[in-house]
Amino acid sequence: NTVTYALLAVVGETFSSAMVAYALARLRGPGYRLFFLIILSTMMLPWQVTLIPQFLLFRALGWVDSILPLVVPTYFGSAFFIFLLNQFYLTIPDEMDDAARIDGASDYQIFWRIILPMSGPALATVAIMSFMYHWNNFLGPLLYLSSKEKLVISVALQRFTGAYGATRWDLLMAASLVALLPCVLLFFFAQRYFIQGIVMSGIKG
């Protein structure tokens, strides 16, 4: 359950944030600065403020006790990741877009054939951060998932503490290590991309 939820959320959050960031950084239509500020302002709004309205909305849609409330919102992007990728795209020279347009490429083709291939480290950084957040997410699954067979590992660990009456700390620590292992392995094998995504610019040569 946790792997399915985390992977679906990572894919949606990464690519939707990349498309929005590309539009804000390269297309720059009328009012794009205001739109960008509105997106950034949502970072100052705690998730707990919108918790009740979102729950009422998802309950009206019949999505409670499914992973849809946890996955679908990620396909509309994340303000922090949009900002991160926007700053990366601003470092890529506009001349690359102009050269592609001279060859007849559309904005869609520029994004998929030029910008995305150059954004590997930045996208890897976003994907790693997104995976770690969703893998360890507790409040969302606790709120929307109630069936035992649909639980994710963070909620299962919390319920594990009272499963045997008194908490078995030895078993809890073993289960916590298993839950932590994917994040440790992911960062260990992908740390090169994570560091590159933070420090590198979009100019290669």
Side-chain angles (χ1 to χ4, degrees):
N1 292 336
T2 311
V3 170
T4 301
Y5 156 53
L7 292 181
L8 289 175
V10 167
V11 170
E13 203 162 44
T14 301
F15 285 100
S16 59
S17 298
M19 288 189 288
V20 175
Y22 170 73
L24 292 172
R26 316 299 283 193
L27 303 183
R28 301 175 185 174
Y32 81 97
R33 290 185 181 276
L34 176 62
F35 186 66
F36 188 46
L37 289 175
I38 292 174
I39 292 176
L40 293 182
S41 66
T42 62
M43 296 173 61
M44 295 178 262
L45 189 66
W47 186 68
Q48 291 80 358
V49 173
T50 60
L51 188 148
I52 294 177
Q54 281 187 350
F55 181 83
L56 295 176
L57 172 63
F58 293 137
R59 187 180 65 176
L61 293 173
W63 289 1
V64 175
D65 199 23
S66 72
I67 66 170
L68 291 177
L70 305 174
V71 171
V72 172
T74 64
Y75 283 76
F76 293 90
S78 166
F80 174 72
F81 294 147
I82 290 172
F83 172 76
L84 187 68
L85 291 171
N86 179 77
Q87 297 305 111
F88 179 83
Y89 292 153
L90 289 176
T91 65
I92 300 177
D94 292 335
E95 289 78 7
M96 292 188 176
D97 295 18
D98 297 335
R101 288 193 177 93
I102 291 174
D103 291 335
S106 64
D107 292 322
Y108 180 81
Q109 291 173 322
I110 293 173
F111 174 69
W112 281 101
R113 297 186 179 183
I114 297 177
I115 301 298
L116 273 189
M118 296 182 63
S119 306
L123 293 176
T125 301
V126 169
I128 292 169
M129 297 174 68
S130 177
F131 178 84
M132 289 188 173
Y133 170 79
H134 293 292
W135 182 270
N136 295 309
N137 187 17
F138 174 76
L139 186 57
L142 178 67
L143 182 65
Y144 292 111
L145 302 178
S146 55
S147 300
K148 184 178 180 180
E149 60 273 9
K150 297 179 181 178
L151 291 182
V152 296
I153 198 165
S154 57
V155 180
L157 282 176
Q158 188 275 333
R159 296 191 178 186
F160 186 82
T161 58
Y164 300 96
T167 301
R168 290 286 305 274
W169 292 106
D170 53 339
L171 300 179
L172 180 60
M173 292 300 103
S176 299
L177 178 62
V178 174
L180 182 65
L181 199 56
C183 293
V184 174
L185 292 176
L186 176 66
F187 186 80
F188 178 77
F189 288 108
Q191 62 178 329
R192 178 168 63 92
Y193 300 101
F194 184 78
I195 296 173
Q196 284 182 2
I198 294 176
V199 303
M200 75 175 293
S201 69
I203 302 176
K204 294 184 178 180

